[in-house]
């Protein structure tokens, strides 16, 4: 193993722990906001709350990876955060979320796809 890999591994672990904390801290509030949004007729307020919670996840993920010594992890973290931020700003996307099944899709396959740039570093 090269010295660079030996040195980078602990730093990557620290960044991945920060990513995990960002996810854990923000996914519950996002899931709750989406669930509230579909329990009744979605309103501008419930949609805005869900958008804000997804933006918070994006911001937290960006902060978790921004200081990484691993340039690829830092770049991939920015890419994943940018994806989340774009979805958070997409009112049309939130307009398509109408049922509990839609919420499950967002919290499952969609979120996994959006976070995929970081997942291969931190799985």
């Amino acid at each position: 193993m090269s010295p660079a890999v030996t040195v980078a591994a602990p730093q990557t672990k620290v960044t991945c722990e920060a990513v995990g904390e960002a996810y854990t801290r923000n996914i519950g509030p996002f899931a709750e906001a989406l669930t509230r949004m579909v329990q009744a007729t979605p309103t501008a307020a419930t949609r805005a709350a869900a958008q804000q919670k997804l933006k918070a996840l994006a911001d937290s993920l960006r902060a978790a990876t921004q200081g990484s010594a691993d340039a690829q992890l830092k770049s991939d973290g920015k890419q994943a955060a940018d994806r989340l931020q774009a979805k958070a700003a997409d009112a049309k996307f939130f307009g398509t979320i109408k049922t509990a099944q839609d919420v499950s899709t967002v919290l499952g396959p969609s979120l996994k796809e959006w976070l995929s740039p970081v997942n291969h570093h931190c799985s």
Side-chain angles (χ1 to χ4, degrees), residues 43-96:
T43 64
T46 59
R47 196 169 289 133
Q51 287 177 279
Q52 189 278 326
K53 298 301 182 191
L54 184 56
K55 183 182 180 310
L57 175 58
D59 292 344
S60 192
L61 178 63
R62 187 180 319 280
T65 58
Q66 205 164 33
S68 179
D70 180 331
Q72 188 61 51
L73 178 52
K74 183 177 181 175
S75 173
D76 290 346
K78 179 187 181 316
Q79 180 184 4
D82 288 348
R83 284 181 182 181
L84 294 171
Q85 190 119 20
K87 285 297 177 184
D90 187 353
K92 185 178 177 184
F93 167 75
F94 280 88
T96 66

Side-chain angles (χ1 to χ4, degrees), residues 1-2 10 21 23-24 29 37 58 68-69 71-72 74 82 92 96-97 99 112 121:
M1 193 180 316
S2 72
E21 289 172 21
Y23 181 85
T24 300
M37 190 179 85
S68 179
Q72 188 61 51
K74 183 177 181 175
D82 288 348
K92 185 178 177 184
T96 66
I97 303 169
T99 67
K112 184 177 180 181
H121 295 282

Side-chain angles (χ1 to χ4, degrees), residues 93-105:
F93 167 75
F94 280 88
T96 66
I97 303 169
K98 296 178 174 28
T99 67
Q101 181 59 43
D102 295 338
V103 171
S104 293
T105 298

Side-chain angles (χ1 to χ4, degrees), residues 16-35:
C16 287
E17 287 171 356
V19 166
E21 289 172 21
Y23 181 85
T24 300
R25 194 172 45 249
N26 290 284
I27 198 63
F30 177 53
E32 289 171 18
L34 284 177
T35 301

